[in-house]
C-alpha cells in the first residue's frame, strides 16, 4: 500500500471560496515541445466568505512556474509557497491583478486531462480538475469568471484555433497566427476549452425560437468530413426539443463541436465548444451501426442540454455532480424517447441500471447520488451519479406530473441562472411549485443502496376486496448501516382476467410509498387481478412479488404498459434460468420450462410491426443481469444455463426463426436510419445472433451471405459477430475481409477488436494479448483499450473467468500499466475485479489476490488507489 494515503475530501467540509476571480485573460503560445500559458487574473476577496482567511491557495499540477507577478511586481520565491499540487500566497489586498506564466508539456500528457495532444491537434479536457494542469487557478466550480483567450500557434500546422464564446480578433506574423476568443458568460474553469489543429468543418445554422440565427459547426480531421451529418441533424433536433419541452434557448451566436480521437469519456459540454470522443459524434451508415447512430444522437443532445443544466446553472462543488448529470441524463433520455420508441428506450435504460448500477450500489464503491466523500472525483462519474441520478429526477417528474415539473424547472433556471448551486436547491424549486414537502424524498440523494420492495397480496372474493401489502427496506452499504424509508412512487396497474386494467383510485395510478410497511385496499374487485407493479419502472428498486409463471405469461401478452410486458418476459426467463443453474450446480440435466417455450413462440409469431420491441422481447437475459440477480455468482453454471437455453430455443424454433429472419432480410435493404428501419434491422439481427449462439447449422451460410451483401455497418458487423460467435468456418475469412476493407478507419477497427475480444472462440487470452500487440492497437488510446481489455473483462465471461485466474492477472497487469499512463482509465478497468465478494469461493479468492497485487504496487495513482483499497475492505 501507499505510504501516504491520498486525502479524503468531505462534503461536510465545504467552505465558500475566500477569493473570487472576476476576469481571466489567457494567452496560449503553442509549440512542438511545449506550451507557454500566460494568465492575467482579476482577483478580489469574496465579500460573502465565511470566516475569511487571507490565504490564496491556487491549484496547479505538473506545471513549471516561470513568472508570478502581483499588481505589476514580480514576486520572489520567498514570497509564495510552491508545492506538488499548488501555490500559496498570503496577506493579499482586497483586489489585485495576478499574472502567472507557466510552461507545460502537452506532448507528454498521457492522462488526457488539461491540455494534451491527440493526433496532430492540441485539445483540452478540464472537467473535473484538469484546468490545474494548465495554470495556477482556483480550480473549483463555484468560482465563475469571464474568460478571454488568445491562442497563438504555427499557421500551417494549426490553421484552426478555437476556444469558448466568439472570436473577436485575429492576426498573424511570419508563420504564426493568433485568434482571441471572448466568452460573455461567466463560467467555472472546468468549462474552459481550447482546440488547435488542422481541421475542416461542416457548417449549418439554427434559428432559435426568438429568431436569432446560430452558426453550427462540426470540426473534424479532413478524412472524417463525410461522417458529420447525423450529429448536425441531431444537434438541431436537440435545440428544437429543448425549446419546446423546457423553453430553453441557445444563448451564443456560435455552437462548435470538435471530434477528437483520444478522449477519456464520451464528450464534454465546454461552453460553446463541445469536445467529443470521435466515436460519439462521427457516423454514417456505411461505417457506423444503428446503435452508434442512436448513441451519437443521445450524446449530442446530452452535451447540448448541459448548456442550461450544467453551464448556465452549474454545481457548487463536485459532490453536487448529479445536479447537472442526473438532470441532463433524464433530459436526454426523454429526448430519445420522443424521437424513437418510448418503451424501448426505457427498456435500454433500465437494463443498464439493473445490471451495472445495481451492481455498483451493492458493491464496495457504493455511494449516494450526492456522495459524502471522495479521494479522486474522477472516480465518481458513475452510473449512480448519472443513471440513478436521472431516475431520481424522473421520480420527481412522476410525483409532480409533467406540468408542475416544468414549472419547477423554469423556476430553477430562472432563480439560479449564473449560479453554482446544490441538488437541494433543485429539489427546493420542485417543492415550491408543487407545495409538497419533499424532505423524505431527499433521502434518495443521501442514502446509497438499492431499496428492495416486497409485495404480497390477498383477494377476498366474498367482500370483493383486493389488498396489496408493500414493504420496503434497503441493505447496508459502506459507511451507511441503517437506512430510513424512502418516498417511492409506484405506478400500478391491476390487470383483470379479461386483460383490461381495473380503475384504481390514485391520481395517475401512482401510489406513494413512504413507510416501511403499508397496505393498500381496493374495493369492488370482481375477480383476482394480476398486479403490474412499478409500471415504466417508476422507481429504481428491486421488486419482489411471487409471480407465478402463468401470471408472467399473462402479463407478457396483456399488460398495457410496454415496459412491464417486456419485464414479465425477462422475469419468466430469469426464473427458468435460475432453475437451470441450480440443476447445473447439482449435476442434473437442464430442463427448459414449457411455459417459457410457449411464450417465446408467441413472440416469434407476433406479426406486429413494433420490431424494436420484438427484438427486446425475445432477448435472453444477459450474463451480467443474471449475475446481478444471483446471491452467489457461479460462473460455470450461469454460462451453462444460458447456453443450454439458447440451444434449446434454436432446436425448437429454428425453422420459424430462419423464416422470420428471411422475410425481414428480403423486405429491407439499404441504409435507412428511420426508427422503423432500425427496428427491423435490430430484430433481424437479434434473430441471427440467436441462431449463432444457439448452434444453428444454417447460421454460417445466412450470416456469410448477409456479410457479403451488407449495405450498412449494422448488417455487416452483426453478420461478422454471428460468424465469430458461432465460430463458423467462414469466421476467420470474414474477419480478414473486414480488416482489409476497414483497416484505415480507426472507429470501425474498434468494433473489429471488440467482436474478437468478446468471443469465446476468438477471445482466448492468447488472442486477446495478440490484439493488444496489433499495429492498430495503442495503449495510449482509451477507445482501443476499452475495445480490447475492457470488452474482454466485461463481456467475455468464459475467457476472463478462466479457472486458472489468468484472465484476472492479465487485467491486473493492464491496470498497473495504465496506472502510470492514464489513471482514469486504469481505475475504470478495475470494476470487474471489485465484485470479487459476489463470486463462488475459488474465483472470489483469485480475483481478490489480483486486486491485492495491484494494491501492493508502488506509486499507485489516487484514482486506482481509491478503488482498489475500498474494494479490499
Ligand atoms: N461532463 C462530462 C464528463 C466529464 C468527466 C470528467 N472525468 C461529460 C458529460 O457528462 O456530459
Ligand atoms: Zn453530462
Amino acid at each position: 500500500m501507499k505510504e501516504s494515503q491520498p486525502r479524503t475530501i468531505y462534503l461536510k467540509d465545504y467552505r465558500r471560496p475566500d477569493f473570487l476571480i472576476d476576469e481571466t485573460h489567457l494567452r496560449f503560445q503553442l509549440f512542438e515541445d511545449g506550451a507557454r500559458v500566460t494568465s492575467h487574473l482579476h482577483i478580489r476577496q469574496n465579500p460573502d466568505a465565511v470566516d475569511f482567511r487571507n490565504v490564496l491557495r491556487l491549484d496547479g499540477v505538473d506545471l513549471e512556474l516561470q513568472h508570478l507577478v502581483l499588481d505589476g511586481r514580480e514576486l520572489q520565491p520567498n514570497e509564495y509557497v510552491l508545492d506538488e499540487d499548488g501555490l500559496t500566497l498570503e496577506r493579499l489586498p482586497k483586489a489585485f491583478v495576478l499574472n502567472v506564466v507557466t510552461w507545460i508539456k502537452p506532448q507528454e500528457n498521457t492522462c488526457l486531462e488539461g491540455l494534451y495532444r491527440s493526433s496532430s491537434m492540441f485539445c483540452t479536457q478540464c472537467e473535473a480538475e484538469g484546468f490545474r494542469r494548465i495554470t495556477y487557478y482556483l480550480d473549483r466550480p463555484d468560482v465563475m469568471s469571464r474568460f478571454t483567450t488568445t491562442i497563438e500557434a504555427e499557421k500551417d500546422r494549426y490553421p484552426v484555433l478555437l476556444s469558448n464564446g466568439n472570436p473577436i480578433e485575429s492576426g498573424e506574423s511570419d508563420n504564426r497566427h493568433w485568434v482571441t476568443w471572448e466568452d460573455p458568460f461567466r463560467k467555472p474553469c472546468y468549462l474552459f476549452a481550447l482546440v488547435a489543429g488542422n481541421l475542416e468543418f461542416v457548417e449549418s445554422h439554427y434559428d432559435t425560437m426568438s429568431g436569432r440565427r446560430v452558426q453550427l459547426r462540426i470540426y473534424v480531421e479532413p478524412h472524417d468530413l463525410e461522417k458529420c451529418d447525423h450529429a448536425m441533424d441531431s444537434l438541431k433536433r436537440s435545440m428544437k426539443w429543448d425549446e419546446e419541452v423546457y423553453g430553453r434557448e441557445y444563448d451564443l451566436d456560435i455552437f462548435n463541436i470538435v471530434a477528437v480521437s483520444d478522449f477519456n469519456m464520451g464528450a464534454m459540454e465546454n461552453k460553446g465548444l463541445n469536445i467529443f470522443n470521435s466515436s460519439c459524434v462521427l457516423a454514417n451508415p456505411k461505417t457506423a451501426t444503428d446503435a452508434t447512430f442512436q448513441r451519437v444522437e443521445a450524446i449530442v443532445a446530452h452535451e447540448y442540454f448541459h448548456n442550461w443544466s450544467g453551464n448556465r446553472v452549474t454545481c457548487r462543488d463536485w459532490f453536487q455532480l448529479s445536479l447537472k448529470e442526473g438532470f441532463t441524463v433524464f433530459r436526454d433520455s426523454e429526448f430519445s424517447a420522443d424521437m424513437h420508441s418510448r418503451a424501448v428506450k426505457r427498456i435500454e435504460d433500465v437494463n443498464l441500471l439493473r445490471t451495472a448500477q445495481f451492481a455498483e450500489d451493492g458493491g464496495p464503491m457504493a455511494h449516494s447520488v450526492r456522495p459524502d466523500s471522495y479521494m479522486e472525483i474522477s472516480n465518481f462519474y458513475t452510473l449512480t451519479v448519472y443513471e440513478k441520478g436521472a431516475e431520481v429526477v424522473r421520480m420527481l417528474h412522476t410525483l409532480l406530473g409533467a406540468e408542475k415539473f416544468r414549472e419547477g424547472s423554469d423556476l430553477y433556471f430562472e432563480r439560479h441562472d449564473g449560479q453554482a448551486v446544490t441538488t437541494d436547491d433543485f429539489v427546493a424549486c420542485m417543492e415550491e411549485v408543487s407545495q409538497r414537502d419533499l424532505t423524505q424524498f431527499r433521502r434518495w440523494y443521501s442514502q446509497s443502496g438499492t431499496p428492495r420492495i416486497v409485495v404480497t397480496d390477498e383477494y377476498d372474493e366474498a367482500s370483493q376486496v383486493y389488498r396489496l401489502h408493500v414493504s420496503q427496506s434497503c441493505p447496508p452499504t459502506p459507511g451507511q448501516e441503517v437506512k430510513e424509508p424512502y418516498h417511492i412512487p409506484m405506478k400500478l396497474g391491476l390487470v383483470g382476467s379479461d386483460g383490461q386494467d381495473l380503475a384504481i383510485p390514485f391520481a395517475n395510478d401512482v401510489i406513494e410509498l413512504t413507510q416501511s410497511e403499508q397496505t393498500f385496499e381496493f374495493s369492488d374487485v370482481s375477480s383476482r387481478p394480476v398486479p403490474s407493479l412499478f409500471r415504466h419502472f417508476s422507481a429504481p428498486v428491486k421488486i419482489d412479488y411471487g409471480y407465478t409463471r402463468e401470471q408472467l405469461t399473462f402479463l407478457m401478452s396483456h399488460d398495457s404498459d410496454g415496459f412491464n410486458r417486456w419485464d414479465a418476459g425477462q422475469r419468466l426467463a430469469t426464473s427458468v434460468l435460475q432453475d437451470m443453474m441450480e440443476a447445473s450446480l447439482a449435476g442434473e440435466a437442464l430442463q427448459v420450462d414449457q411455459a417459457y417455450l410457449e411464450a417465446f413462440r408467441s413472440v416469434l409469431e407476433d406479426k406486429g410491426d413494433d420490431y424494436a420491441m420484438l427484438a427486446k422481447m425475445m432477448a435472453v437475459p444477459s450474463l451480467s443481469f443474471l449475475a446481478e440477480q444471483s446471491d452467489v455468482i457461479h460462473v460455470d453454471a450461469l454460462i451453462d444455463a444460458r447456453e443450454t437455453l439458447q440451444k434449446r430455443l434454436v432446436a425448437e424454433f429454428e425453422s420459424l426463426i430462419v423464416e422470420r429472419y428471411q422475410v425481414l432480410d428480403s423486405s429491407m435493404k439499404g441504409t435507412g436510419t428511420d426508427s422503423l428501419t432500425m427496428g427491423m434491422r435490430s430484430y433481424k439481427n437479434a434473430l441471427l445472433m440467436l441462431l449463432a449462439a444457439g448452434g444453428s447449422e444454417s447460421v454460417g451460410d445466412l450470416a456469410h451471405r448477409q456479410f457479403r451483401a451488407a449495405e450498412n455497418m449494422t448488417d455487416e458487423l452483426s453478420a461478422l459477430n454471428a460468424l465469430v460467435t458461432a465460430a463458423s468456418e467462414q469466421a476467420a475469412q470474414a474477419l480478414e475481409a473486414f480488416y482489409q476493407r476497414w483497416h484505415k478507419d480507426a472507429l470501425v477497427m474498434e468494433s473489429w477488436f471488440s467482436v474478437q475480444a468478446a468471443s469465446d472462440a476468438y477471445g482466448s487470452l492468447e488472442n486477446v494479448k495478440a490484439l493488444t500487440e496489433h499495429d492498430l492497437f495503442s495503449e495510449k488510446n482509451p477507445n482501443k483499450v476499452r475495445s480490447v481489455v475492457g470488452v474482454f473483462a466485461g463481456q467475455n465471461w468464459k475467457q476472463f473467468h478462466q479457472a486458472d485466474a489468468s484472465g484476472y492477472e492479465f487485467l491486473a497487469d493492464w491496470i498497473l500499466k495504465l496506472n502510470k499512463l492514464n489513471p482514469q482509465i486504469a481505475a475504470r478497468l478495475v470494476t470487474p475485479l471489485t465484485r470479487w465478494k459476489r463470486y463462488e469461493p475459488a474465483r472470489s479468492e483469485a480475483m481478490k489476490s489480483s486486486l491485492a497485487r495491484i494494491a501492493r504496487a508502488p506509486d499507485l495513482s489516487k484514482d486506482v488507489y481509491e478503488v482498489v483499497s475500498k474494494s479490499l475492505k
Side-chain angles (χ1 to χ4, degrees), residues 648-714:
R648 182 65 200 280
L649 290 173
V650 169
E652 189 86 15
F653 302 117
E654 182 163 9
S655 53
L656 194 51
I657 297 172
V658 170
E659 186 194 311
R660 290 293 267 151
Y661 167 83
Q662 283 173 328
V663 170
L664 286 164
D665 191 47
S666 58
S667 66
M668 55 172 313
K669 287 281 174 235
T671 56
T673 51
D674 55 287
S675 298
L676 181 69
T677 311
M678 288 197 287
M680 283 171 98
R681 268 200 294 270
S682 74
Y683 189 32
K684 177 184 85 168
N685 287 312
L687 294 164
L688 186 68
M689 278 310 287
L690 177 60
L691 292 172
S696 143
E697 293 285 327
S698 53
V699 72
D701 290 340
L702 292 177
H704 199 230
R705 192 172 320 128
Q706 175 170 322
F707 182 72
R708 280 173 303 165
E711 293 172 28
N712 59 76
M713 186 47 72
T714 307

Side-chain angles (χ1 to χ4, degrees), residues 113 125-129 190-191 263-270 275 299 302-304 306 318 321 324-325 328-329 376-381 386 824 828:
E113 282 224 283
Q125 170 55 36
C126 294
E127 186 179 359
E129 297 181 337
Y190 84 85
L191 291 171
F263 208 67
N264 281 346
M265 330 76 57
M268 177 65 212
E269 69 265 24
N270 316 298
I275 298 184
I299 299 180
H302 179 99
E303 305 310 331
Y304 173 73
H306 267 318
W318 292 120
L321 183 57
K324 72 178 178 83
E325 297 305 346
T328 305
V329 171
E376 170 52 62
I377 185 57
S378 300
N379 287 331
F380 287 79
Y381 285 75
Y386 276 65
Q824 269 184 41
R828 300 238 150 195

Side-chain angles (χ1 to χ4, degrees), residues 422-434:
T422 64
T423 54
D424 256 343
D425 293 322
F426 180 79
V427 178
C429 291
M430 296 296 164
E431 213 159 27
E432 201 168 306
V433 295
S434 65

Side-chain angles (χ1 to χ4, degrees), residues 738-812:
F738 192 90
Y739 176 82
Q740 290 305 337
R741 197 174 313 159
W742 296 114
H743 65 277
K744 293 217 172 80
D745 190 310
L747 293 177
V748 177
M749 288 319 288
E750 279 157 23
S751 305
W752 182 81
F753 279 120
S754 323
V755 162
Q756 297 175 78
S759 124
D760 299 351
Y762 285 80
S764 67
L765 188 54
E766 203 188 335
N767 288 349
V768 168
K769 280 187 179 156
L771 291 177
T772 63
E773 279 151 22
H774 195 281
D775 284 349
L776 295 177
F777 184 87
S778 161
E779 62 192 26
K780 291 197 181 140
N781 178 256
N783 289 2
K784 298 292 180 303
V785 172
R786 279 187 282 258
S787 63
V788 179
V789 186
V791 166
F792 173 73
Q795 296 175 33
N796 192 344
W797 281 66
K798 235 185 219 173
Q799 301 290 355
F800 175 62
H801 291 285
Q802 283 289 344
D804 64 4
S806 52
Y808 308 148
E809 287 293 277
F810 167 77
L811 183 62

